[in-house]
Amino acid sequence: MSDLPTGVERRAFEGTERLATRGEPHYGEPTDGEWRAWDPDRSKLGAMLELGMDTGLVGDEAVLYLGAASGTTASHVADFAGPTYGVEFAARPVRDLLDAAEPRGNLFPLLKDARKPETYAHVVEPVDAIVQDVATRGQAKVATANAEFLREDGRLLLAVKARSEDVTRDPADVFDDALDELESAYEVLETRRLTPHHDDHLGVVATPR
C-alpha cells in the first residue's frame, strides 16, 4: 500500500475505516469533526488511492483537474493540495463546483473544454499533477494536449473510461489504444483496473517524457 498524501488519512466513520480529508462537506458525505469521508465509489482518484496505486502525491501540489464536474473529487483534492484548477465543460455541474470552491480559496473553477487547453492557458500556472476524469472520446488525446502544463517531474493521474471511448469494444483493447497514444507525451509508470469501485475503468499514473 503506497503512502497517502499529507492531508489524506484513513479514519473511522461509523466503525468503518475510510479515506478522509479535512474540509467543508460538499455532497452529503459522512463527517467526523473536521474530517469528511472520501468515497472511492464516487471518485476515480479516491479509488486509485484506495487500491494502493503510487500516485506520487505528497500534499500541497499545484493540480490541474480535468473533468471536475460538480466537485466531488476536486473538493477533496483542494483539501490537501495547493492551487487546484478545476476544468469543467458543462454549465450545470459548474454551479455545484462553485459551491465547493466557496469555502476553499485554493479551488479555481474554470468553465472550459479540456480538449481546448489554449482557452485556459493564460490562467493555469505550471502544475505538479494533472488529475483527469473526462467522460468523452479521445481521453488520451486530452491528456497529451494538456501535458504542457505539467512540470518535468510531475504526474498524470488518469482514469480511462472504456465505455466513453467505445461502448461496443472490449475495454482491454480500448485501454491498450489509450496507452499507445499516451506514449507520445508520457512515460506510463503504473496501470490498474479500478474495480470493484468503477467497472471498465483503468487508472494510469504517468510522467512527462
Side-chain angles (χ1 to χ4, degrees), residues 87-180:
V87 175
E88 174 53 46
F89 178 64
R92 174 64 193 90
V94 166
R95 290 205 287 271
D96 292 331
L97 184 59
L98 286 166
D99 289 340
E102 194 172 338
R104 296 174 173 87
N106 63 325
L107 177 55
F108 306 108
L110 300 171
L111 179 58
K112 298 290 183 182
D113 186 341
R115 294 170 294 187
K116 300 175 180 177
E118 67 276 7
T119 63
Y120 47 87
H122 62 292
V123 177
V124 177
E125 302 283 339
V127 297
D128 305 297
I130 294 175
V131 179
Q132 181 179 316
D133 177 18
V134 296
T136 183
R137 286 179 182 266
Q139 293 164 75
K141 190 174 181 180
V142 170
T144 57
N146 283 273
E148 64 186 277
F149 297 111
L150 199 53
R151 291 196 171 103
E152 240 178 72
D153 57 348
R155 290 288 185 273
L156 169 70
L157 307 173
L158 167 66
V160 181
K161 185 178 183 180
R163 300 303 178 197
S164 291
E165 291 288 350
D166 189 338
V167 74
T168 66
R169 294 181 66 206
D170 186 303
D173 294 335
V174 174
F175 297 149
D176 285 345
D177 286 352
L179 292 172
D180 285 346

Side-chain angles (χ1 to χ4, degrees), residues 4-203:
L4 295 172
T6 299
V8 182
E9 295 185 5
R10 295 185 182 278
R11 299 181 71 88
F13 293 86
E14 298 169 353
T16 302
E17 191 177 80
R18 304 178 61 176
L19 290 174
T21 61
R22 191 189 278 114
E24 287 290 320
H26 177 52
Y27 54 96
E29 67 277 23
T31 58
D32 177 17
E34 296 182 327
W35 291 89
R36 49 196 289 256
W38 188 352
D39 186 351
D41 293 340
R42 296 184 61 170
S43 168
K44 314 309 187 306
L45 180 59
M48 292 170 76
L49 291 169
E50 187 66 54
L51 293 168
M53 294 186 72
D54 186 2
T55 63
L57 295 172
V58 296
D60 208 30
E61 289 91 352
V63 177
L64 174 60
Y65 195 111
L66 304 174
S70 59
T72 299
T73 301
S75 64
H76 285 290
V77 171
D79 285 347
F80 70 85
T84 303
Y85 303 94
V87 175
E88 174 53 46
F89 178 64
R92 174 64 193 90
V94 166
R95 290 205 287 271
D96 292 331
L97 184 59
L98 286 166
D99 289 340
E102 194 172 338
R104 296 174 173 87
N106 63 325
L107 177 55
F108 306 108
L110 300 171
L111 179 58
K112 298 290 183 182
D113 186 341
R115 294 170 294 187
K116 300 175 180 177
E118 67 276 7
T119 63
Y120 47 87
H122 62 292
V123 177
V124 177
E125 302 283 339
V127 297
D128 305 297
I130 294 175
V131 179
Q132 181 179 316
D133 177 18
V134 296
T136 183
R137 286 179 182 266
Q139 293 164 75
K141 190 174 181 180
V142 170
T144 57
N146 283 273
E148 64 186 277
F149 297 111
L150 199 53
R151 291 196 171 103
E152 240 178 72
D153 57 348
R155 290 288 185 273
L156 169 70
L157 307 173
L158 167 66
V160 181
K161 185 178 183 180
R163 300 303 178 197
S164 291
E165 291 288 350
D166 189 338
V167 74
T168 66
R169 294 181 66 206
D170 186 303
D173 294 335
V174 174
F175 297 149
D176 285 345
D177 286 352
L179 292 172
D180 285 346
E181 186 161 355
L182 284 176
E183 290 290 332
S184 65
Y186 295 98
E187 179 187 351
V188 175
L189 304 178
E190 183 181 3
T191 64
R192 181 161 178 169
R193 293 276 191 122
L194 298 184
T195 49
H197 304 292
H198 302 277
D199 293 335
D200 301 326
H201 281 74
L202 185 72

